[in-house]
Amino acid sequence: MILSRTYEPEDMAGCLALFDSNTPRFFDVSEREGFVGFLKDQALRWPYQVIERDGRIVGCGGHAVEPDGVSVALCWGMVDNGLHGQGLGRVLTEARIAAARATPGIRCVILNTSQHTQGFYARFGFEAEKVTPDGFAPGIDRWDMVLRLD
């Protein structure tokens, strides 16, 4: 059974296991500390979800309204590396885009990702705004992408 629910502090270990399963291809080990900080603070204040399958956390991701009031940023979305290609990331991304569309005044969804997942997000209509070679770490380029909702 698959369940999507709000992140709780006791989910940290499960979310870190997801991060670790996606390192070093999708995340650099140097980003882990930032994710820990996010889980301790923003994940408790912003809409951040976990996906459970049979009681195990298999995905997580959230979004936040940006200070400009017209953009929503997707943050720290990931699925267990061994479960890629099973539709969990699609469900997570569709839910976050739907939440952005339901937020009054929001005109676009933004995210930063790598060359490894930019194609996944392009299928939802995201377009590259800027590409920074080695922007996250050596071998992990940063792709700043936007989905215009208007």
Side-chain angles (χ1 to χ4, degrees), residues 17 38 52 55 57 91 112 129 135:
F38 173 85
E52 287 186 358
I57 295 175
V91 168
N112 56 67
E129 294 261 290

Side-chain angles (χ1 to χ4, degrees), residues 51-104:
I51 298 174
E52 287 186 358
R53 181 192 287 174
D54 301 323
R56 182 175 147 255
I57 295 175
V58 296
C60 60
H63 67 280
V65 176
E66 291 289 283
D68 66 10
V70 298
S71 304
V72 163
L74 299 188
C75 48
W76 291 109
M78 62 192 83
V79 170
D80 182 286
N81 190 55
L83 301 175
H84 288 184
Q86 296 184 20
L88 295 170
R90 177 184 48 77
V91 168
L92 185 61
T93 302
E94 287 173 347
R96 296 189 291 165
I97 292 171
R101 287 186 189 281
T103 304

Side-chain angles (χ1 to χ4, degrees), residues 98-139:
R101 287 186 189 281
T103 304
I106 297 302
R107 295 196 307 255
C108 66
V109 180
I110 60 174
L111 65 88
N112 56 67
T113 192
S114 74
Q115 73 270 25
H116 303 296
T117 52
Q118 60 82 23
F120 169 81
Y121 289 107
R123 290 194 297 269
F124 294 92
F126 283 87
E127 298 175 348
E129 294 261 290
K130 180 180 178 186
V131 178
T132 307
D134 299 328
F136 287 117

